[in-house]
Amino acid sequence: MKIAVIGAGAMGGSLAKGLIQIPSVPNSDITVADPSEEKLKTFAAQGVRTTTDNTVAANAADLVCIVVKPWIVRQVIEQIKDSLDYDRQQLIIVAAGVKSADLNEWLKRGESIIPYYLVIPNIAIAVLSSMTFIVPCGASAAQTAGVKALFEQMGGALVTEERLLAAGTTLASCGIAYAMRYIRASVEGGVELGFRAADAEHIVEQTVKGAVLLLQATGDHPEAKIDEVTTPGGVTIRGLNEMEHAGFTSAVIRGLKAGL
């Protein structure tokens, strides 16, 4: 499958970096398009095709990924629409807040609409560890399975409904920033406890990684594992209770809801 990524910003660049690492897609089958030739140099050096012309990128692909700011999506579609093969190609739209109702209008050609997907990954896709949400629009079950399999090579992937896409965005795409803010706070706490900053960062990152891997390996609810650590009268329960007194759980939930 030949893939084009239109847009090499933070998210588009991360997607391209992820694609480069998966064995099922040769680098020579990837095209990255961006107005900035400087952004394209890194990809060209890895054997990826690059161009500043979105139409050239789209023509070279079976799967065309539009990864730009939401207000630029329509402009890109208008640039490439007439050159797309609606019977052969598929589109991926990575742009938070863009609705299928609008895309159906922008993509309509006669009575036809190209199969497309609303997709929300997060920047960890660059290291094959994204959580990606996929909403198929006019795509067959087989086409959707193929796209899901592609993103599963770059982390976790969930086919979902459009009504849940905003929630998925705040939980995983925004959520990666929330997780990093917890890590930063813990590192600062580690420094106050006496560790050098670099050592504190290593400790916290390994601890968070361990928590994730443990939950994934066991399938246990997080609270079950917390119970294993909280000795009656011990330091862990005292620390947890202090965090709850400061509104830890409430703050996390309110932050997630603020993104809707």
Side-chain angles (χ1 to χ4, degrees), residues 104-187:
N104 289 342
E105 287 297 318
W106 302 341
L107 289 167
K108 193 170 185 180
R109 199 165 69 188
E111 296 301 315
S112 299
I113 296 176
I114 192 169
Y116 70 92
Y117 308 83
L118 301 173
V119 173
I120 298 293
N122 64 39
I123 58 172
I125 201 166
V127 291
L128 309 184
S129 294
S130 177
M131 181 62 233
T132 301
F133 299 91
I134 302 167
V135 177
C137 301
S140 69
Q143 289 172 323
T144 301
V147 168
K148 184 173 183 280
L150 175 69
F151 281 97
E152 283 178 333
Q153 295 177 71
M154 297 181 282
L158 178 69
V159 176
T160 188
E161 304 169 56
E162 186 172 356
R163 68 181 181 85
L164 291 173
L165 204 54
T169 300
T170 190
L171 195 58
S173 188
C174 302
I176 197 167
Y178 305 153
M180 289 179 181
R181 180 59 62 88
Y182 165 79
I183 291 171
R184 190 194 78 173
S186 293
V187 170

Side-chain angles (χ1 to χ4, degrees), residues 166-179 181 246-260:
T169 300
T170 190
L171 195 58
S173 188
C174 302
I176 197 167
Y178 305 153
R181 180 59 62 88
F248 180 81
T249 298
S250 176
V252 171
I253 294 171
R254 289 178 64 182
L256 291 169
K257 292 173 72 175
L260 296 177

Side-chain angles (χ1 to χ4, degrees), residues 181-254:
R181 180 59 62 88
Y182 165 79
I183 291 171
R184 190 194 78 173
S186 293
V187 170
E188 291 177 353
V191 172
E192 188 168 337
L193 292 171
F195 289 101
R196 292 186 176 89
D199 290 338
E201 183 173 347
H202 173 68
I203 291 165
V204 173
E205 288 172 353
Q206 183 59 40
T207 301
V208 171
K209 179 182 178 181
V212 171
L213 292 176
L214 187 59
L215 291 173
Q216 290 179 336
T218 64
D220 288 345
H221 190 282
E223 203 62 36
K225 289 302 179 192
I226 290 171
D227 286 345
E228 292 181 11
V229 185
T230 49
T231 304
V235 295
T236 304
I237 191 61
R238 291 204 297 269
L240 288 169
N241 284 341
E242 279 299 317
M243 291 180 187
E244 290 302 331
H245 289 324
F248 180 81
T249 298
S250 176
V252 171
I253 294 171
R254 289 178 64 182

